[in-house]
């Protein structure tokens, strides 16, 4: 049937977009939430009072979600490593650039406020935690996209079967 594949194409495309967007949203919100907690701890550990806004939190979520969205959509569509690495790397650049800008500002404020050696060590650990989140967000988004995707990569074969070992008995 010539029309059968044409009818399935939009569904496949929409499914890939939904799976990728969902993976990016879940991963981005999770990592941004943890990042916000680490940022708050950073300010407190630096001996200052935290002053975070809802707008700042939403902006952080947006940055984490948008940075992995193209890669997550690609993860839902293909298993080819090159486009995934490129798309996720571009997203990491966005988060790292923003993180460095915010981090320099926060470190400068902490140093100007005066910190002890123990505080400085804690600030370093918190900074490393934020770096792990920035690098872990694409990994998490990729894994979620793969988990949510019940189809084989587009154009490479028939849809994959659902796993039966996770269904309740």
């Amino acid at each position: 049937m010539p029309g059968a594949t044409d009818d399935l194409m939009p569904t496949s495309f929409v499914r890939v977009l939904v799976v990728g967007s969902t993976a990016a949203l879940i991963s981005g919100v999770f990592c941004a939430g943890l990042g916000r907690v680490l940022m708050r701890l950073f300010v407190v550990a630096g001996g200052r009072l935290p002053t975070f806004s809802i707008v700042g939190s939403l902006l952080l979520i947006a940055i984490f979600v948008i940075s992995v969205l193209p890669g997550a959509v690609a993860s839902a569509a293909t298993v080819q490593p090159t486009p995934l690495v490129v798309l996720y790397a571009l997203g990491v650049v966005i988060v790292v650039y923003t993180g460095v800008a915010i981090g320099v500002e926060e470190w400068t404020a902490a140093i100007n406020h005066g910190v002890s050696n123990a505080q400085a060590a804690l600030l370093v650990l918190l900074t490393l935690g934020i770096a792990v989140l920035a690098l872990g967000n694409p990994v998490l988004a990729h894994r979620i996209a793969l988990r949510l995707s019940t189809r084989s990569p587009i154009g490479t074969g028939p849809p994959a079967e659902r796993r039966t070992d996770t269904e309740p008995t």
Side-chain angles (χ1 to χ4, degrees), residues 94-162:
I94 293 168
V95 174
V96 168
Y97 176 79
T98 307
V100 167
I102 293 170
V104 166
E105 192 176 299
E106 290 298 327
W107 267 99
T108 303
I111 290 168
N112 288 339
H113 185 71
V115 292
S116 68
N117 288 342
Q119 285 174 306
L122 181 57
L123 294 177
V124 167
L125 288 176
L126 291 169
T127 301
L128 290 174
I130 292 170
V132 167
L133 283 176
L135 297 174
N137 189 27
V139 173
L140 182 61
H142 175 70
R143 288 179 180 242
I144 292 170
L146 291 179
R147 181 67 98 160
L148 292 176
S149 181
T150 58
R151 298 185 58 88
S152 64
I154 293 176
T156 62
E161 293 183 24
R162 291 191 182 269

Side-chain angles (χ1 to χ4, degrees), residues 32 36 53-66 98 102:
R36 200 51 149 162
S53 67
I54 297 287
V55 173
S57 296
L58 293 175
L59 184 60
L60 187 65
I61 290 170
I63 289 169
F64 270 89
V65 170
I66 290 169
T98 307
I102 293 170

